[in-house]
Amino acid sequence: MDEVKVVVAHSERATLRVGDVFLKVDADQARIDVEVEAMALAPVPTPEVLWRRPPVLAIAAVPGTALGRLGEPSTASPAAWAAAGAAIRKLHDAPLPPWTGRRRRNPDELAAELDGECELLVTNGVLPADLVTRNRQVAEAALRSWTPAFTHGDLQIDHVFVDGDEVTGIIDWSEAGRGDALFDLATLTLGHEGHLGDVIAGYGTDVDLDVIRAWWSLRSLLGVRWLVEHGFDAFAPGCEVDVLRSRM
């Protein structure tokens, strides 16, 4: 029997790997609905859905290795990073999905959530006030209207798989929907700022770097407390807190 490996597990969902099969257990079936439909519509390589029996979704492993890991240097080539940028551009140019997406779309709503989170980070002693204040200033550039694109919504570096210089699969589509294209680019390059130029070269169009930097700060500010509460180490070298410190 193949070994059962816990890939990730917290109060919202869990993912197990058994051989070349991933079993995703999620109490929120709407999230699984989005994942299945997004993988069917996305014009980029995605995992094969093997079967679904709520609350479990079984998908096949994609070939290749992850582009990298947050907090670790990426061993992928500049060409592989550029290929990731090209794949993301193909996704963003695709017809919009029929659902709005789970990510926040109203800048005022996002600003209110960010301000509330910043206050909690300081009052609960999670982060020093000067670090929070500086990154809240940087994050302001992301609080604007944007033209919706077909976005992945959680395009972390370890969700993109490559084999050599070719993208072989993009996984974890539960946050996909209509969103800000620059949020995807920022999420992919979070903690890997040195590869942003490669990604943009593959993406093939000019982007507003201030907005990408703003999303780095914004995503990190909103994520630190959740990560800590769910057993992840946002303070590890190269991770979210270091991203915030780099803006000082």
Side-chain angles (χ1 to χ4, degrees):
M1 178 180 292
D2 289 310
E3 179 185 5
V4 177
K5 178 183 178 182
V6 179
V7 179
V8 63
H10 50 76
S11 60
E12 296 179 6
R13 69 190 88 163
T15 301
L16 310 176
R17 179 169 187 168
V18 185
D20 289 331
V21 177
F22 286 89
L23 303 176
K24 306 189 75 169
V25 184
D26 198 322
D28 185 348
Q29 289 306 292
R31 193 156 43 207
I32 294 294
D33 290 342
V34 165
E35 179 152 16
V36 171
E37 189 166 359
M39 289 191 293
L41 293 176
V44 296
T46 61
E48 176 189 0
V49 175
L50 301 176
W51 50 264
R52 181 182 180 187
R53 296 170 192 160
V56 182
L57 171 68
I59 60 175
V62 297
T65 57
L67 190 61
R69 305 284 180 191
L70 183 62
E72 302 176 8
S74 171
T75 59
S77 68
W81 281 88
I88 298 167
R89 178 63 184 273
K90 190 173 183 180
L91 174 67
H92 292 168
D93 285 345
L96 292 173
W99 64 93
T100 58
R102 301 169 62 91
R103 291 288 178 185
R104 314 156 192 87
R105 289 202 29 80
N106 186 309
D108 292 335
E109 175 188 353
L110 181 56
E113 180 181 359
L114 179 60
D115 288 338
E117 187 63 29
C118 287
E119 182 178 354
L120 288 172
L121 288 170
V122 175
T123 57
N124 292 347
V126 180
L127 294 174
D130 60 340
L131 184 64
V132 172
T133 299
R134 171 56 183 156
N135 279 275
R136 175 61 181 85
Q137 293 169 347
V138 174
E140 186 67 26
L143 302 175
R144 87 280 181 239
S145 299
W146 58 80
T147 301
F150 188 164
T151 57
H152 180 279
D154 191 23
L155 198 63
Q156 299 177 52
I157 184 176
D158 56 355
H159 290 170
V160 178
F161 281 71
V162 296
D163 185 1
D165 299 336
E166 178 184 357
V167 174
T168 55
I170 300 177
I171 66 172
D172 286 356
W173 291 81
S174 62
E175 302 295 332
R178 304 179 186 186
D180 181 2
L182 297 191
F183 178 76
D184 270 355
L185 294 176
T187 303
L188 179 68
T189 55
L190 183 77
H192 291 272
E193 186 171 352
H195 292 288
L196 178 58
D198 299 324
V199 172
I200 293 174
Y203 195 70
T205 188
D206 291 335
V207 301
D208 190 330
L209 297 181
D210 286 339
V211 173
I212 289 182
R213 295 186 185 102
W215 275 122
W216 287 338
S217 290
L218 200 158
R219 181 183 174 101
S220 297
L221 286 170
L222 290 181
V224 167
R225 197 166 56 88
W226 185 95
L227 290 166
V228 171
E229 291 175 353
H230 287 79
F232 300 99
D233 189 2
F235 290 82
C239 293
E240 284 79 4
V241 175
D242 271 359
V243 170
L244 295 172
R245 289 170 177 155
S246 71
R247 298 301 105 192
M248 298 297 288

PDB file of all heavy atoms in Angstrom, residues 126-157:
ATOM      1  N   VAL A 126       1.152  41.108  17.487  1.00  0.00           N
ATOM      2  CA  VAL A 126       1.668  40.169  16.483  1.00  0.00           C
ATOM      3  C   VAL A 126       2.829  40.793  15.712  1.00  0.00           C
ATOM      4  O   VAL A 126       3.846  40.139  15.459  1.00  0.00           O
ATOM      5  CB  VAL A 126       0.547  39.741  15.514  1.00  0.00           C
ATOM      6  CG1 VAL A 126       1.093  38.762  14.467  1.00  0.00           C
ATOM      7  CG2 VAL A 126      -0.616  39.116  16.272  1.00  0.00           C
ATOM      8  N   LEU A 127       2.679  42.071  15.348  1.00  0.00           N
ATOM      9  CA  LEU A 127       3.707  42.787  14.594  1.00  0.00           C
ATOM     10  C   LEU A 127       3.880  44.180  15.183  1.00  0.00           C
ATOM     11  O   LEU A 127       2.923  44.759  15.720  1.00  0.00           O
ATOM     12  CB  LEU A 127       3.320  42.904  13.116  1.00  0.00           C
ATOM     13  CG  LEU A 127       3.252  41.612  12.295  1.00  0.00           C
ATOM     14  CD1 LEU A 127       2.716  41.907  10.902  1.00  0.00           C
ATOM     15  CD2 LEU A 127       4.613  40.935  12.212  1.00  0.00           C
ATOM     16  N   PRO A 128       5.079  44.759  15.067  1.00  0.00           N
ATOM     17  CA  PRO A 128       5.289  46.124  15.570  1.00  0.00           C
ATOM     18  C   PRO A 128       4.539  47.154  14.730  1.00  0.00           C
ATOM     19  O   PRO A 128       4.331  46.980  13.532  1.00  0.00           O
ATOM     20  CB  PRO A 128       6.804  46.315  15.462  1.00  0.00           C
ATOM     21  CG  PRO A 128       7.259  45.315  14.464  1.00  0.00           C
ATOM     22  CD  PRO A 128       6.326  44.145  14.562  1.00  0.00           C
ATOM     23  N   ALA A 129       4.162  48.241  15.377  1.00  0.00           N
ATOM     24  CA  ALA A 129       3.324  49.256  14.737  1.00  0.00           C
ATOM     25  C   ALA A 129       4.003  49.876  13.523  1.00  0.00           C
ATOM     26  O   ALA A 129       3.342  50.137  12.502  1.00  0.00           O
ATOM     27  CB  ALA A 129       2.958  50.339  15.750  1.00  0.00           C
ATOM     28  N   ASP A 130       5.316  50.148  13.604  1.00  0.00           N
ATOM     29  CA  ASP A 130       5.966  50.806  12.478  1.00  0.00           C
ATOM     30  C   ASP A 130       5.985  49.911  11.235  1.00  0.00           C
ATOM     31  O   ASP A 130       5.830  50.400  10.096  1.00  0.00           O
ATOM     32  CB  ASP A 130       7.382  51.253  12.851  1.00  0.00           C
ATOM     33  CG  ASP A 130       8.291  50.099  13.260  1.00  0.00           C
ATOM     34  OD1 ASP A 130       7.768  49.023  13.631  1.00  0.00           O
ATOM     35  OD2 ASP A 130       9.525  50.275  13.211  1.00  0.00           O
ATOM     36  N   LEU A 131       6.136  48.604  11.427  1.00  0.00           N
ATOM     37  CA  LEU A 131       6.127  47.667  10.306  1.00  0.00           C
ATOM     38  C   LEU A 131       4.744  47.624   9.658  1.00  0.00           C
ATOM     39  O   LEU A 131       4.622  47.641   8.422  1.00  0.00           O
ATOM     40  CB  LEU A 131       6.521  46.277  10.797  1.00  0.00           C
ATOM     41  CG  LEU A 131       6.646  45.178   9.738  1.00  0.00           C
ATOM     42  CD1 LEU A 131       7.776  45.490   8.766  1.00  0.00           C
ATOM     43  CD2 LEU A 131       6.874  43.820  10.395  1.00  0.00           C
ATOM     44  N   VAL A 132       3.706  47.603  10.480  1.00  0.00           N
ATOM     45  CA  VAL A 132       2.340  47.568   9.968  1.00  0.00           C
ATOM     46  C   VAL A 132       2.007  48.877   9.259  1.00  0.00           C
ATOM     47  O   VAL A 132       1.454  48.877   8.148  1.00  0.00           O
ATOM     48  CB  VAL A 132       1.344  47.293  11.109  1.00  0.00           C
ATOM     49  CG1 VAL A 132      -0.090  47.451  10.629  1.00  0.00           C
ATOM     50  CG2 VAL A 132       1.579  45.898  11.683  1.00  0.00           C
ATOM     51  N   THR A 133       2.365  49.998   9.859  1.00  0.00           N
ATOM     52  CA  THR A 133       2.040  51.297   9.280  1.00  0.00           C
ATOM     53  C   THR A 133       2.707  51.478   7.922  1.00  0.00           C
ATOM     54  O   THR A 133       2.075  51.932   6.953  1.00  0.00           O
ATOM     55  CB  THR A 133       2.486  52.428  10.220  1.00  0.00           C
ATOM     56  OG1 THR A 133       1.785  52.305  11.452  1.00  0.00           O
ATOM     57  CG2 THR A 133       2.202  53.786   9.607  1.00  0.00           C
ATOM     58  N   ARG A 134       3.984  51.134   7.828  1.00  0.00           N
ATOM     59  CA  ARG A 134       4.703  51.280   6.558  1.00  0.00           C
ATOM     60  C   ARG A 134       4.079  50.415   5.472  1.00  0.00           C
ATOM     61  O   ARG A 134       3.848  50.869   4.344  1.00  0.00           O
ATOM     62  CB  ARG A 134       6.182  50.916   6.739  1.00  0.00           C
ATOM     63  CG  ARG A 134       6.973  50.818   5.446  1.00  0.00           C
ATOM     64  CD  ARG A 134       6.899  52.098   4.637  1.00  0.00           C
ATOM     65  NE  ARG A 134       7.614  51.951   3.377  1.00  0.00           N
ATOM     66  CZ  ARG A 134       7.360  52.678   2.291  1.00  0.00           C
ATOM     67  NH1 ARG A 134       6.394  53.603   2.309  1.00  0.00           N
ATOM     68  NH2 ARG A 134       8.062  52.501   1.186  1.00  0.00           N
ATOM     69  N   ASN A 135       3.769  49.172   5.783  1.00  0.00           N
ATOM     70  CA  ASN A 135       3.206  48.290   4.769  1.00  0.00           C
ATOM     71  C   ASN A 135       1.767  48.656   4.423  1.00  0.00           C
ATOM     72  O   ASN A 135       1.336  48.433   3.284  1.00  0.00           O
ATOM     73  CB  ASN A 135       3.323  46.840   5.215  1.00  0.00           C
ATOM     74  CG  ASN A 135       4.700  46.275   4.953  1.00  0.00           C
ATOM     75  OD1 ASN A 135       4.996  45.808   3.862  1.00  0.00           O
ATOM     76  ND2 ASN A 135       5.567  46.344   5.954  1.00  0.00           N
ATOM     77  N   ARG A 136       1.035  49.222   5.382  1.00  0.00           N
ATOM     78  CA  ARG A 136      -0.304  49.724   5.044  1.00  0.00           C
ATOM     79  C   ARG A 136      -0.192  50.855   4.032  1.00  0.00           C
ATOM     80  O   ARG A 136      -1.039  50.970   3.114  1.00  0.00           O
ATOM     81  CB  ARG A 136      -1.018  50.195   6.314  1.00  0.00           C
ATOM     82  CG  ARG A 136      -2.392  50.844   6.045  1.00  0.00           C
ATOM     83  CD  ARG A 136      -3.330  49.860   5.374  1.00  0.00           C
ATOM     84  NE  ARG A 136      -4.631  50.459   5.086  1.00  0.00           N
ATOM     85  CZ  ARG A 136      -4.909  51.170   3.982  1.00  0.00           C
ATOM     86  NH1 ARG A 136      -3.960  51.388   3.073  1.00  0.00           N
ATOM     87  NH2 ARG A 136      -6.114  51.648   3.788  1.00  0.00           N
ATOM     88  N   GLN A 137       0.828  51.681   4.140  1.00  0.00           N
ATOM     89  CA  GLN A 137       1.047  52.749   3.154  1.00  0.00           C
ATOM     90  C   GLN A 137       1.373  52.167   1.782  1.00  0.00           C
ATOM     91  O   GLN A 137       0.841  52.621   0.757  1.00  0.00           O
ATOM     92  CB  GLN A 137       2.181  53.658   3.624  1.00  0.00           C
ATOM     93  CG  GLN A 137       1.870  54.468   4.876  1.00  0.00           C
ATOM     94  CD  GLN A 137       3.104  55.139   5.456  1.00  0.00           C
ATOM     95  OE1 GLN A 137       4.241  54.823   5.092  1.00  0.00           O
ATOM     96  NE2 GLN A 137       2.888  56.066   6.382  1.00  0.00           N
ATOM     97  N   VAL A 138       2.244  51.167   1.754  1.00  0.00           N
ATOM     98  CA  VAL A 138       2.605  50.525   0.485  1.00  0.00           C
ATOM     99  C   VAL A 138       1.382  49.869  -0.147  1.00  0.00           C
ATOM    100  O   VAL A 138       1.154  49.947  -1.361  1.00  0.00           O
ATOM    101  CB  VAL A 138       3.718  49.487   0.701  1.00  0.00           C
ATOM    102  CG1 VAL A 138       3.988  48.711  -0.579  1.00  0.00           C
ATOM    103  CG2 VAL A 138       4.995  50.161   1.187  1.00  0.00           C
ATOM    104  N   ALA A 139       0.555  49.235   0.682  1.00  0.00           N
ATOM    105  CA  ALA A 139      -0.610  48.494   0.192  1.00  0.00           C
ATOM    106  C   ALA A 139      -1.653  49.392  -0.458  1.00  0.00           C
ATOM    107  O   ALA A 139      -2.483  48.903  -1.241  1.00  0.00           O
ATOM    108  CB  ALA A 139      -1.248  47.715   1.348  1.00  0.00           C
ATOM    109  N   GLU A 140      -1.611  50.656  -0.178  1.00  0.00           N
ATOM    110  CA  GLU A 140      -2.625  51.582  -0.700  1.00  0.00           C
ATOM    111  C   GLU A 140      -2.724  51.523  -2.220  1.00  0.00           C
ATOM    112  O   GLU A 140      -3.811  51.666  -2.790  1.00  0.00           O
ATOM    113  CB  GLU A 140      -2.294  53.011  -0.249  1.00  0.00           C
ATOM    114  CG  GLU A 140      -3.346  54.049  -0.602  1.00  0.00           C
ATOM    115  CD  GLU A 140      -4.656  53.849   0.150  1.00  0.00           C
ATOM    116  OE1 GLU A 140      -4.632  53.265   1.251  1.00  0.00           O
ATOM    117  OE2 GLU A 140      -5.696  54.285  -0.378  1.00  0.00           O
ATOM    118  N   ALA A 141      -1.598  51.291  -2.903  1.00  0.00           N
ATOM    119  CA  ALA A 141      -1.600  51.296  -4.372  1.00  0.00           C
ATOM    120  C   ALA A 141      -2.448  50.171  -4.960  1.00  0.00           C
ATOM    121  O   ALA A 141      -2.875  50.251  -6.125  1.00  0.00           O
ATOM    122  CB  ALA A 141      -0.169  51.199  -4.894  1.00  0.00           C
ATOM    123  N   ALA A 142      -2.694  49.120  -4.197  1.00  0.00           N
ATOM    124  CA  ALA A 142      -3.522  48.012  -4.696  1.00  0.00           C
ATOM    125  C   ALA A 142      -5.008  48.295  -4.560  1.00  0.00           C
ATOM    126  O   ALA A 142      -5.831  47.586  -5.163  1.00  0.00           O
ATOM    127  CB  ALA A 142      -3.183  46.719  -3.955  1.00  0.00           C
ATOM    128  N   LEU A 143      -5.361  49.310  -3.797  1.00  0.00           N
ATOM    129  CA  LEU A 143      -6.773  49.610  -3.515  1.00  0.00           C
ATOM    130  C   LEU A 143      -7.323  50.517  -4.605  1.00  0.00           C
ATOM    131  O   LEU A 143      -7.518  51.715  -4.407  1.00  0.00           O
ATOM    132  CB  LEU A 143      -6.903  50.255  -2.136  1.00  0.00           C
ATOM    133  CG  LEU A 143      -6.352  49.417  -0.981  1.00  0.00           C
ATOM    134  CD1 LEU A 143      -6.424  50.200   0.326  1.00  0.00           C
ATOM    135  CD2 LEU A 143      -7.117  48.100  -0.869  1.00  0.00           C
ATOM    136  N   ARG A 144      -7.538  49.934  -5.778  1.00  0.00           N
ATOM    137  CA  ARG A 144      -8.050  50.679  -6.913  1.00  0.00           C
ATOM    138  C   ARG A 144      -8.914  49.744  -7.737  1.00  0.00           C
ATOM    139  O   ARG A 144      -8.930  48.530  -7.525  1.00  0.00           O
ATOM    140  CB  ARG A 144      -6.908  51.265  -7.735  1.00  0.00           C
ATOM    141  CG  ARG A 144      -6.319  50.361  -8.802  1.00  0.00           C
ATOM    142  CD  ARG A 144      -5.336  49.352  -8.249  1.00  0.00           C
ATOM    143  NE  ARG A 144      -4.790  48.541  -9.363  1.00  0.00           N
ATOM    144  CZ  ARG A 144      -4.890  47.228  -9.452  1.00  0.00           C
ATOM    145  NH1 ARG A 144      -5.478  46.556  -8.498  1.00  0.00           N
ATOM    146  NH2 ARG A 144      -4.392  46.573 -10.484  1.00  0.00           N
ATOM    147  N   SER A 145      -9.664  50.324  -8.659  1.00  0.00           N
ATOM    148  CA  SER A 145     -10.477  49.490  -9.543  1.00  0.00           C
ATOM    149  C   SER A 145      -9.578  48.817 -10.579  1.00  0.00           C
ATOM    150  O   SER A 145      -8.515  49.333 -10.919  1.00  0.00           O
ATOM    151  CB  SER A 145     -11.536  50.342 -10.242  1.00  0.00           C
ATOM    152  OG  SER A 145     -12.404  50.941  -9.307  1.00  0.00           O
ATOM    153  N   TRP A 146      -9.997  47.661 -11.063  1.00  0.00           N
ATOM    154  CA  TRP A 146      -9.235  46.966 -12.094  1.00  0.00           C
ATOM    155  C   TRP A 146     -10.198  46.315 -13.073  1.00  0.00           C
ATOM    156  O   TRP A 146     -11.380  46.116 -12.795  1.00  0.00           O
ATOM    157  CB  TRP A 146      -8.316  45.913 -11.479  1.00  0.00           C
ATOM    158  CG  TRP A 146      -9.020  44.878 -10.657  1.00  0.00           C
ATOM    159  CD1 TRP A 146      -9.697  43.776 -11.113  1.00  0.00           C
ATOM    160  CD2 TRP A 146      -9.144  44.857  -9.224  1.00  0.00           C
ATOM    161  NE1 TRP A 146     -10.220  43.075 -10.059  1.00  0.00           N
ATOM    162  CE2 TRP A 146      -9.900  43.701  -8.898  1.00  0.00           C
ATOM    163  CE3 TRP A 146      -8.682  45.680  -8.198  1.00  0.00           C
ATOM    164  CZ2 TRP A 146     -10.201  43.372  -7.580  1.00  0.00           C
ATOM    165  CZ3 TRP A 146      -8.982  45.340  -6.901  1.00  0.00           C
ATOM    166  CH2 TRP A 146      -9.732  44.201  -6.603  1.00  0.00           C
ATOM    167  N   THR A 147      -9.679  45.992 -14.242  1.00  0.00           N
ATOM    168  CA  THR A 147     -10.454  45.275 -15.243  1.00  0.00           C
ATOM    169  C   THR A 147     -10.416  43.793 -14.906  1.00  0.00           C
ATOM    170  O   THR A 147      -9.331  43.203 -14.832  1.00  0.00           O
ATOM    171  CB  THR A 147      -9.882  45.490 -16.651  1.00  0.00           C
ATOM    172  OG1 THR A 147      -9.892  46.882 -16.949  1.00  0.00           O
ATOM    173  CG2 THR A 147     -10.699  44.736 -17.693  1.00  0.00           C
ATOM    174  N   PRO A 148     -11.559  43.158 -14.692  1.00  0.00           N
ATOM    175  CA  PRO A 148     -11.554  41.749 -14.275  1.00  0.00           C
ATOM    176  C   PRO A 148     -10.901  40.849 -15.318  1.00  0.00           C
ATOM    177  O   PRO A 148     -11.052  41.041 -16.528  1.00  0.00           O
ATOM    178  CB  PRO A 148     -13.033  41.423 -14.112  1.00  0.00           C
ATOM    179  CG  PRO A 148     -13.711  42.731 -13.921  1.00  0.00           C
ATOM    180  CD  PRO A 148     -12.926  43.713 -14.739  1.00  0.00           C
ATOM    181  N   ALA A 149     -10.167  39.859 -14.831  1.00  0.00           N
ATOM    182  CA  ALA A 149      -9.570  38.828 -15.665  1.00  0.00           C
ATOM    183  C   ALA A 149      -9.889  37.472 -15.053  1.00  0.00           C
ATOM    184  O   ALA A 149     -10.302  37.374 -13.898  1.00  0.00           O
ATOM    185  CB  ALA A 149      -8.060  39.031 -15.755  1.00  0.00           C
ATOM    186  N   PHE A 150      -9.708  36.413 -15.843  1.00  0.00           N
ATOM    187  CA  PHE A 150      -9.829  35.050 -15.326  1.00  0.00           C
ATOM    188  C   PHE A 150      -8.570  34.801 -14.496  1.00  0.00           C
ATOM    189  O   PHE A 150      -7.479  34.645 -15.035  1.00  0.00           O
ATOM    190  CB  PHE A 150      -9.916  34.066 -16.489  1.00  0.00           C
ATOM    191  CG  PHE A 150     -10.237  32.631 -16.107  1.00  0.00           C
ATOM    192  CD1 PHE A 150     -10.664  31.731 -17.066  1.00  0.00           C
ATOM    193  CD2 PHE A 150     -10.125  32.167 -14.787  1.00  0.00           C
ATOM    194  CE1 PHE A 150     -10.962  30.403 -16.737  1.00  0.00           C
ATOM    195  CE2 PHE A 150     -10.425  30.863 -14.440  1.00  0.00           C
ATOM    196  CZ  PHE A 150     -10.841  29.971 -15.434  1.00  0.00           C
ATOM    197  N   THR A 151      -8.718  34.797 -13.191  1.00  0.00           N
ATOM    198  CA  THR A 151      -7.564  34.665 -12.302  1.00  0.00           C
ATOM    199  C   THR A 151      -7.622  33.356 -11.513  1.00  0.00           C
ATOM    200  O   THR A 151      -8.696  32.818 -11.240  1.00  0.00           O
ATOM    201  CB  THR A 151      -7.490  35.840 -11.312  1.00  0.00           C
ATOM    202  OG1 THR A 151      -8.706  35.919 -10.564  1.00  0.00           O
ATOM    203  CG2 THR A 151      -7.246  37.148 -12.046  1.00  0.00           C
ATOM    204  N   HIS A 152      -6.452  32.883 -11.143  1.00  0.00           N
ATOM    205  CA  HIS A 152      -6.330  31.686 -10.312  1.00  0.00           C
ATOM    206  C   HIS A 152      -6.752  31.988  -8.875  1.00  0.00           C
ATOM    207  O   HIS A 152      -7.407  31.187  -8.217  1.00  0.00           O
ATOM    208  CB  HIS A 152      -4.884  31.193 -10.360  1.00  0.00           C
ATOM    209  CG  HIS A 152      -4.615  29.960  -9.553  1.00  0.00           C
ATOM    210  ND1 HIS A 152      -4.403  30.002  -8.176  1.00  0.00           N
ATOM    211  CD2 HIS A 152      -4.499  28.658  -9.899  1.00  0.00           C
ATOM    212  CE1 HIS A 152      -4.186  28.784  -7.737  1.00  0.00           C
ATOM    213  NE2 HIS A 152      -4.226  27.945  -8.745  1.00  0.00           N
ATOM    214  N   GLY A 153      -6.338  33.148  -8.368  1.00  0.00           N
ATOM    215  CA  GLY A 153      -6.784  33.597  -7.059  1.00  0.00           C
ATOM    216  C   GLY A 153      -5.925  33.170  -5.882  1.00  0.00           C
ATOM    217  O   GLY A 153      -6.031  33.746  -4.807  1.00  0.00           O
ATOM    218  N   ASP A 154      -5.077  32.149  -6.071  1.00  0.00           N
ATOM    219  CA  ASP A 154      -4.182  31.692  -4.994  1.00  0.00           C
ATOM    220  C   ASP A 154      -2.928  31.096  -5.622  1.00  0.00           C
ATOM    221  O   ASP A 154      -2.522  29.978  -5.315  1.00  0.00           O
ATOM    222  CB  ASP A 154      -4.883  30.670  -4.113  1.00  0.00           C
ATOM    223  CG  ASP A 154      -4.091  30.366  -2.837  1.00  0.00           C
ATOM    224  OD1 ASP A 154      -3.279  31.218  -2.423  1.00  0.00           O
ATOM    225  OD2 ASP A 154      -4.284  29.282  -2.265  1.00  0.00           O
ATOM    226  N   LEU A 155      -2.300  31.863  -6.513  1.00  0.00           N
ATOM    227  CA  LEU A 155      -1.244  31.352  -7.371  1.00  0.00           C
ATOM    228  C   LEU A 155       0.101  31.348  -6.649  1.00  0.00           C
ATOM    229  O   LEU A 155       1.072  31.974  -7.071  1.00  0.00           O
ATOM    230  CB  LEU A 155      -1.169  32.175  -8.658  1.00  0.00           C
ATOM    231  CG  LEU A 155      -0.421  31.536  -9.831  1.00  0.00           C
ATOM    232  CD1 LEU A 155      -1.110  30.268 -10.284  1.00  0.00           C
ATOM    233  CD2 LEU A 155      -0.314  32.519 -10.982  1.00  0.00           C
ATOM    234  N   GLN A 156       0.154  30.629  -5.543  1.00  0.00           N
ATOM    235  CA  GLN A 156       1.399  30.499  -4.799  1.00  0.00           C
ATOM    236  C   GLN A 156       2.433  29.750  -5.640  1.00  0.00           C
ATOM    237  O   GLN A 156       2.091  28.934  -6.504  1.00  0.00           O
ATOM    238  CB  GLN A 156       1.153  29.754  -3.489  1.00  0.00           C
ATOM    239  CG  GLN A 156       0.177  30.456  -2.569  1.00  0.00           C
ATOM    240  CD  GLN A 156      -0.086  29.649  -1.313  1.00  0.00           C
ATOM    241  OE1 GLN A 156       0.838  29.240  -0.618  1.00  0.00           O
ATOM    242  NE2 GLN A 156      -1.357  29.409  -1.006  1.00  0.00           N
ATOM    243  N   ILE A 157       3.695  30.011  -5.354  1.00  0.00           N
ATOM    244  CA  ILE A 157       4.772  29.444  -6.156  1.00  0.00           C
ATOM    245  C   ILE A 157       4.722  27.920  -6.213  1.00  0.00           C
ATOM    246  O   ILE A 157       5.027  27.320  -7.250  1.00  0.00           O
ATOM    247  CB  ILE A 157       6.135  29.937  -5.614  1.00  0.00           C
ATOM    248  CG1 ILE A 157       7.287  29.454  -6.483  1.00  0.00           C
ATOM    249  CG2 ILE A 157       6.334  29.517  -4.175  1.00  0.00           C
ATOM    250  CD1 ILE A 157       8.631  29.997  -6.050  1.00  0.00           C
TER     251      ILE A 157
END
